[in-house]
Amino acid sequence: MKIKSTSRRRVTLGLMGASVAGILPSMVRAESGYPARPIRVVIGFAAGGGADAVARLICTSMSADLKQPMVIENRPGANGNIAADVVTKATNDGYTILYNTSSLVISPHLYTSLPYDIKRDLLPVAEVAAIPLVLVVSPRLGVKSMQEFVANLKANPRKLNYGSSGTGNITHLSAAEFLRQVGAKASHVPYKSEAPAVTDLLGGHIDFYIGNANTLIPHVADKKLTALAVTSLQRLPSLPDVPTLDQTVAKGLEMVAWSGFMVPKGTPDAVIAKLASTAERVLKTQTLRSRIEETGAMVRWAGTSEYGRILESETDRWGKAVKASGVRPE
């Protein structure tokens, strides 16, 4: 499907000078008065999930600061691609923005044809949060540390199995990358979503899983699952006794489901700057930071330029992970 460019029409200097003089001030006034109406925030995952919960907390605070509602629109499906496509087709005036997750940079390596292109059709605003993953095992394995778990994996190649929320999902690729880093092998059991994977792990039908912290922490607290490591470089406040992969068996390895805001290509720089500065301001408040941490996520800030560089490096990184995992693009 061919995407038509939604970039702003450029005004050519030297033609109709008087008209240009009248147009430019009106454009400046329009942008300086942004936002003048509610902002639609499209997210590619269902309401109630980890990414949705964090997005709603951030958007509620930003709404109060901007004095305009930021209305969440859930468009789940296709690993976030449906939501991204909706935003690339929207008017580039700052009133439709994308709350994207790291799936955005994984999708180009999983699908042979996408209706949009990240570089061509979207612009970064800011990275705002990350949901660390947690490596949990079934208590029936009887392991209490990452070192003990890796030794078990190496002594029993491919005999242990791990679940994922779907082939090519970050829960699959993170497990594959972990196994590659420690030099171990295990069997992959893909599920259609996180819920059935966790259910089977609780039932002892699979041995381990690397999934979203906010989903797994309640089961760890109830001692129904054993948390061996978190995938961020820092320990989680909600799991202070659980070490990181970096501290145990995989030095320097970090795998988190990060998220941020993006807008259609051609959105005015002033609008992007307004959204980024507002997000940065509200994320500095301790109340919001604490509420985000309570969900199992954490604030992770990167401004517009830095977020652009992160998107490029993460696209390359997860491309290599997809290739190493053996997943074939659909």
Side-chain angles (χ1 to χ4, degrees), residues 155-204:
N156 300 282
R158 298 193 186 281
K159 289 186 179 179
L160 299 186
N161 52 38
Y162 66 96
S164 77
S165 300
T167 300
N169 182 280
I170 192 170
T171 59
H172 172 209
L173 297 177
S174 293
E177 183 64 11
F178 156 71
L179 290 167
R180 189 182 71 82
Q181 290 269 349
V182 300
K185 295 181 179 180
S187 298
H188 176 219
V189 182
Y191 293 83
K192 291 184 178 181
S193 64
E194 189 158 67
V198 174
T199 297
D200 270 10
L201 181 63
L202 291 168

Side-chain angles (χ1 to χ4, degrees), residues 281-322:
R281 186 161 50 251
V282 301
L283 288 170
K284 287 181 178 178
T285 63
Q286 189 56 49
T287 300
L288 178 58
R289 297 177 75 92
S290 297
R291 293 191 68 190
I292 289 173
E293 288 177 359
E294 286 171 4
T295 72
M298 60 185 181
V299 171
R300 182 156 149 166
W301 170 259
T304 302
S305 297
E306 185 182 355
Y307 191 32
R309 291 190 290 270
I310 289 170
L311 287 164
E312 289 188 8
S313 63
E314 287 288 277
T315 298
D316 180 63
R317 175 194 182 190
W318 288 110
K320 292 176 181 176
V322 169

Side-chain angles (χ1 to χ4, degrees), residues 187-268:
S187 298
H188 176 219
V189 182
Y191 293 83
K192 291 184 178 181
S193 64
E194 189 158 67
V198 174
T199 297
D200 270 10
L201 181 63
L202 291 168
H205 302 298
I206 55 176
D207 299 304
F208 70 101
Y209 178 67
I210 299 180
N212 291 329
N214 47 12
T215 300
L216 298 173
I217 286 174
H219 300 299
V220 174
D222 291 342
K223 301 188 184 306
K224 294 179 179 178
L225 295 175
T226 303
L228 298 182
V230 296
T231 64
S232 54
L233 293 178
Q234 297 81 35
R235 295 192 184 203
L236 298 184
S238 48
L239 293 173
D241 297 326
V242 179
T244 69
L245 289 175
D246 173 68
Q247 293 172 329
T248 53
V249 297
K251 186 67 178 176
L253 181 60
E254 180 184 41
M255 301 176 293
V256 296
W258 45 264
S259 56
F261 292 111
M262 299 191 78
V263 290
K265 192 69 172 285
T267 298

